[in-house]
Amino acid sequence: MDTQTSFTPRRDTPRQPELAPSTGAKKNSGRRWSTSVLFVLVTLLGALGGAVVVARAGDRVDVLAVARDVPVGAKITAQDVSTVSFAEDPGLLPIRASQRASVIGQRAATDLRRGGLLTRAQLNVTGSLGDTQQVVGVEVKRGFAPRDELRPGDKVAAVVLPAQGADTGTTASGGQDRTPESIPATVKSVGSPDATGALVINLVVAPADGPLLAAKAAAKQIALVRQPRETGR
């Protein structure tokens, strides 16, 4: 009898390993690289911007400052000004330290306070008065001059007020019978108001009017009226 051998297929044959599904690792790595590069660029731009700001802040110039208080009308001496380093600003125009010599000897057009920067507007650039002008200091009470309106060079009328208790020259109907006397003058400098609001204004007048204006100013009989300014002033 023929014997047939039956072979059972082997189950222990090694199988090929299954490939893990793609996780996109290469793609994520590329994204991380792009993010890193972007971060470096942003950091470099920020550092560059900071360097520009520091460089601009370093653009400093030497200018003049007020070393001690100077009253209006006083002559400026070498001890009244000092040199300070200043970061340039288009909105501010202090006098350069190189122009110091042109400042010495000029008169203050307003009260100068210690620590402030010195500008041309604070100086009386007209220099000497010449032989045909006089200067009279007039102290006017609050309300007897335009507030915050007067500046050097303005034309004013110094109106002579009646003495206290004197006849005002009114008619029976209550109206004035004549125009008050006035003296034409030019503002040389304007002081700062005191605690009562009074201030001293230096006025330039003709020699014929100087004594009268001084007398009336001493008697507190002056009020100032600003005349119309020329176009462009």
Side-chain angles (χ1 to χ4, degrees):
M1 183 172 84
D2 295 335
T3 303
Q4 294 182 353
T5 305
S6 174
F7 295 97
T8 303
R10 298 182 59 180
R11 301 282 185 185
D12 58 352
T13 304
R15 301 179 61 184
Q16 293 293 331
E18 294 183 0
L19 295 176
S22 175
T23 61
K26 290 185 178 181
K27 187 174 181 180
N28 288 339
S29 177
R31 287 181 178 176
R32 285 196 298 271
W33 173 251
S34 299
T35 303
S36 299
V37 171
L38 180 61
F39 177 77
V40 171
L41 289 176
V42 171
T43 303
L44 290 176
L45 288 175
L48 180 60
V52 171
V53 171
V54 172
R56 285 183 176 271
D59 292 340
R60 306 181 74 85
V61 295
D62 290 337
V63 299
L64 296 180
V66 181
R68 59 186 183 182
D69 291 350
V70 180
V72 58
K75 185 177 292 187
I76 296 174
T77 66
Q79 291 72 35
D80 295 330
V81 295
S82 61
T83 300
V84 297
S85 181
F86 172 74
E88 288 190 288
D89 187 333
L92 299 175
L93 298 174
I95 301 174
R96 296 293 181 96
S98 59
Q99 300 175 347
R100 181 190 183 100
S102 67
V103 171
I104 306 304
Q106 293 196 35
R107 295 186 180 275
T110 184
D111 289 329
L112 303 180
R113 300 302 180 189
R114 179 182 177 183
L117 297 179
L118 192 62
T119 66
R120 288 292 176 187
Q122 296 172 310
L123 304 178
N124 176 23
V125 297
T126 57
S128 61
L129 297 174
D131 296 329
T132 61
Q133 296 173 300
Q134 293 182 344
V135 176
V136 179
V138 178
E139 182 181 23
V140 292
K141 296 182 294 185
R142 183 175 184 177
F144 284 68
R147 183 170 179 173
D148 301 328
E149 280 291 327
L150 295 180
R151 62 193 187 202
D154 280 344
K155 303 293 183 182
V156 296
V159 180
V160 179
L161 305 175
Q164 198 168 26
D167 183 10
T168 58
T170 57
T171 64
S173 60
Q176 290 190 349
D177 58 2
R178 63 186 179 87
T179 302
E181 182 182 5
S182 65
I183 302 170
T186 301
V187 176
K188 183 177 185 291
S189 59
V190 181
S192 299
D194 62 15
T196 66
L199 73 162
V200 175
I201 302 173
N202 289 326
L203 299 178
V204 179
V205 296
D209 295 326
L212 174 61
L213 179 60
K216 297 300 183 183
K220 310 297 184 184
Q221 292 179 243
I222 293 296
L224 300 181
V225 178
R226 198 204 78 191
Q227 305 287 21
R229 291 193 181 114
E230 298 177 2
T231 304
R233 266 189 55 80

